[in-house]
Amino acid sequence: MDKFTKEQRSKIMSAIRGKDTKEEVLLCKTLWHLGYRYRKNNRKVFGTPDLTFAKHKIAIFVDGEFFHGYDWENKKHKIQTNQEFWHKKIERNIERDKEVNEYLISQGWTVLRFWSKKVKKNLDEVVKVIKNEIDKNKP
């Protein structure tokens, strides 16, 4: 049983952002201050990555743990309310992420995906991975 009423849960879920999450903003500001220039939510690139470095063909996604199924096999049993809906939705998100990765890779893009909690807790490590990838892909 959910500890919130249906109206409270609806309000909480509607407040979850699809773009410009705290972690995305943190990563963007850090990269910008280091002198890296990128496009945010570039709709011209399949899958609308959170950040793109078109010159280097690098697409970066910052995925939220709940909606993108972090440790899904262990965590899916913890969803107590509206299980059928959430299982279907999250499993489709996982499938879509794989499709986006495969397509972008087939088009010569490098795809980097980070869990939002990794960005929050290990920002330096995430930035290092991005910097290394940019250095590798310099034209």
Side-chain angles (χ1 to χ4, degrees):
M1 186 69 189
D2 198 355
K3 60 184 174 183
F4 297 107
T5 67
K6 194 172 184 177
E7 293 77 24
Q8 288 172 319
R9 177 63 65 199
S10 179
K11 186 175 179 184
I12 290 167
M13 295 307 285
S14 69
I16 296 173
R17 302 175 69 107
K19 60 183 181 178
D20 292 332
T21 63
K22 290 177 186 176
E23 291 78 12
E24 285 176 36
V25 171
L26 178 65
L27 180 59
C28 287
K29 284 184 177 184
T30 303
L31 290 170
W32 192 267
H33 288 296
L34 291 172
Y36 292 99
R37 301 300 179 247
Y38 49 80
R39 290 271 176 240
K40 287 174 52 178
N41 306 306
N42 188 347
R43 292 168 59 179
K44 292 180 181 177
V45 179
F46 183 73
T48 316
D50 298 315
L51 299 173
T52 52
F53 292 88
K55 185 166 94 176
H56 306 290
K57 290 190 102 171
I58 298 172
I60 300 171
F61 297 88
V62 178
D63 295 334
E65 287 74 17
F66 179 76
F67 286 101
H68 291 269
Y70 176 78
D71 195 20
W72 182 239
E73 289 307 313
N74 294 323
K75 302 246 172 126
K76 70 180 175 182
H77 307 294
K78 293 183 179 183
I79 297 174
Q80 299 297 312
T81 310
N82 209 358
Q83 261 190 351
E84 185 180 339
F85 170 80
W86 285 113
H87 285 189
K88 185 177 176 185
K89 179 170 184 58
I90 293 169
E91 286 169 359
R92 176 61 188 128
N93 287 349
I94 293 168
E95 190 179 315
R96 186 181 318 105
D97 290 345
K98 289 177 185 172
E99 291 167 5
V100 167
N101 290 353
E102 289 170 6
Y103 178 80
L104 289 175
I105 290 167
S106 76
Q107 298 299 306
W109 284 77
T110 299
V111 179
L112 301 176
R113 285 191 179 269
F114 301 102
W115 294 110
S116 59
K117 69 180 178 184
K118 181 168 184 170
V119 171
K120 187 188 289 184
K121 292 181 179 177
N122 298 319
L123 181 62
D124 292 340
E125 184 182 324
V126 169
V127 169
K128 186 177 178 183
V129 169
I130 295 169
K131 287 167 79 174
N132 289 340
E133 207 54 53
I134 290 171
D135 290 343
K136 256 199 299 189
N137 288 309
K138 283 193 175 171

